[in-house]
Amino acid sequence: MADITRRAGWRHLRSAPTAHIRHQRGGRTVHDGAGLSFWFRALSAALSEVPVDDRELAMAFHARTADFQDVSVQSTVTYRITDPGAAAARLDFSVDPDTGVWRGTPLEQIAGLLTESAQQHALDVLARIPLAEALVDGAAAVRDRMAAGLAAEPRLPDTGIEVVAVRVVALRPEPEVERALRTPARERIQQEADRATYERRAVAVERERAIAENELASRIELARQEERLVDQRGVNARREAEESAAADAVRAEAEAARTVRLARAEAEAAREVGAARAEAQTAWLRAHAEVPAATLHALAATRAAEQLPRIEHLTLSPDVLTGLLARLGGGGAGS
């Protein structure tokens, strides 16, 4: 929309670079171009504003396929006005000189023209194919047919309109039909998911079985190793017992031999001691045999006195002393 300001009976118009302005006064064109800015009088001016930028037109309509199924088509048409003069001559792009607002609805007229033409070509395509084919390849077919039909539409060039691009955003059946069509696919997906779950469980069971078999094999091998260990321990124990018995026998033989040698040595020593004692006794007897009897008696008394307890006081009666002296005197006379 053009920007119009008032100044003392004059109007000043300033347009956007994407808007083509045509100013006519008295049937003559005074200003004609895009992005203009000028002063004018409202009572004598005829203004029109034609947008020359690319514009998007969204379309949504229903169609019926060859098997009598309703489908909804959502598409977008991109167009531009390449001949603003022809568009201004065929459609009402005039603007109010006081407000700059369009007096008519030219863009709605263009939208109606494009929608009706595109819908006609889309319906013609969809009416010839069944629903399944329309859902698979219908979008591309509808797009191509709409583009070709709009390019061949004679009213568009006469109005100065060029179609830049056509896009089919979606082509969908009714909700009930769509749910019915989704059911087999969902069932297949669910079956695939169930199959994957079963296969995963089977793999897990197989792995658990392999693990259990490995554990059992490990236990069996461990039992075998323990059996070998027990056998080896028995062999080692028997060998140790045999070696201990042999060592004990050797020690016993050595102890017996030592005991025999010791006994023999003790016997030999006893014999030698006995012989020495016998010789000493013989020598003692021989020595005493040559001593007088009185001396022997005195020695005997001395020995006996050594064996008796200590006598502190000895009292001799006259009778005992007389007899003793008599014996000592008699012995001395005899000798």
Side-chain angles (χ1 to χ4, degrees):
M1 183 178 66
D3 183 16
I4 297 178
T5 57
R6 300 178 182 183
R7 290 291 186 276
W10 288 83
R11 304 288 185 273
H12 182 270
L13 182 146
R14 183 176 58 192
S15 65
T18 57
H20 184 94
I21 303 297
R22 174 173 287 188
H23 174 209
Q24 292 178 328
R25 185 176 59 225
R28 291 186 306 105
T29 301
V30 180
H31 298 93
D32 189 12
L36 298 181
S37 178
F38 54 88
W39 292 91
F40 66 95
R41 288 185 176 273
L43 296 178
S44 62
L47 301 175
S48 61
E49 180 183 5
V50 180
V52 293
D53 56 336
D54 290 351
R55 292 185 172 262
E56 302 284 342
L57 175 62
M59 303 179 185
F61 52 88
H62 291 275
R64 179 168 293 182
T65 61
D67 49 359
F68 304 101
Q69 298 296 325
D70 290 336
V71 294
S72 60
V73 181
Q74 297 178 5
S75 61
T76 302
V77 175
T78 303
Y79 70 94
R80 73 167 66 99
I81 298 176
T82 57
D83 190 351
R90 300 293 296 271
L91 299 174
D92 185 10
F93 281 96
S94 62
V95 298
D96 190 325
D98 292 328
T99 61
V101 179
W102 278 318
R103 289 189 174 125
T105 55
L107 296 183
E108 285 77 358
Q109 293 177 352
I110 294 175
L113 175 63
L114 293 174
T115 301
E116 291 176 359
S117 179
Q119 184 175 359
Q120 177 182 357
H121 296 293
L123 293 177
D124 186 37
V125 173
L126 293 174
R128 300 175 183 275
I129 59 177
L131 177 62
E133 184 178 351
L135 295 178
V136 175
D137 300 324
V142 170
R143 183 190 64 239
D144 296 341
R145 182 63 178 273
M146 288 174 61
L150 291 174
E153 180 65 36
R155 293 178 58 189
L156 298 180
D158 293 344
T159 314
I161 299 173
E162 178 186 359
V163 175
V164 178
V166 177
R167 297 186 301 277
V168 176
V169 180
L171 197 154
R172 302 181 60 178
E174 293 182 343
E176 295 80 3
V177 177
E178 188 174 5
R179 283 194 295 269
L181 293 174
R182 288 178 178 178
T183 301
R186 290 182 176 179
E187 291 295 333
R188 288 194 300 271
I189 294 173
Q190 187 62 41
Q191 291 176 2
E192 292 294 333
D194 295 340
R195 185 179 299 107
T197 301
Y198 296 149
E199 291 178 355
R200 185 170 59 253
R201 290 178 179 176
V203 171
V205 171
E206 182 65 22
R207 290 179 179 176
E208 290 178 358
R209 185 185 64 80
I211 292 173
E213 291 180 354
N214 292 335
E215 291 180 353
L216 180 59
S218 299
R219 291 179 181 177
I220 293 174
E221 183 63 23
L222 181 60
R224 290 176 180 173
Q225 296 294 336
E226 289 179 353
E227 183 180 359
R228 294 177 183 175
L229 180 60
V230 170
D231 294 341
Q232 186 64 37
R233 285 178 178 175
V235 172
N236 294 340
R238 287 192 298 271
R239 183 178 301 170
E240 184 178 359
E242 292 175 358
E243 292 179 356
S244 179
D248 291 342
V250 172
R251 285 195 296 270
E253 291 178 0
E255 185 67 22
R258 189 179 67 82
T259 303
V260 171
R261 289 194 298 271
L262 182 58
R264 290 178 179 174
E266 289 179 354
E268 184 66 25
R271 284 194 298 270
E272 291 180 357
V273 170
R277 287 180 180 177
E279 292 179 358
Q281 190 67 26
T282 302
W284 186 79
L285 292 175
R286 188 183 305 115
H288 285 74
E290 297 176 356
V291 176
T295 303
L296 294 176
H297 290 163
L299 290 175
T302 302
R303 293 288 180 89
E306 292 176 356
Q307 301 297 326
L308 292 176
R310 183 177 180 181
I311 301 173
E312 298 292 338
H313 301 283
L314 179 64
T315 303
L316 297 177
S317 63
D319 295 335
V320 175
L321 183 58
T322 303
L324 181 59
L325 292 176
R327 288 183 181 179
L328 291 175
S335 58

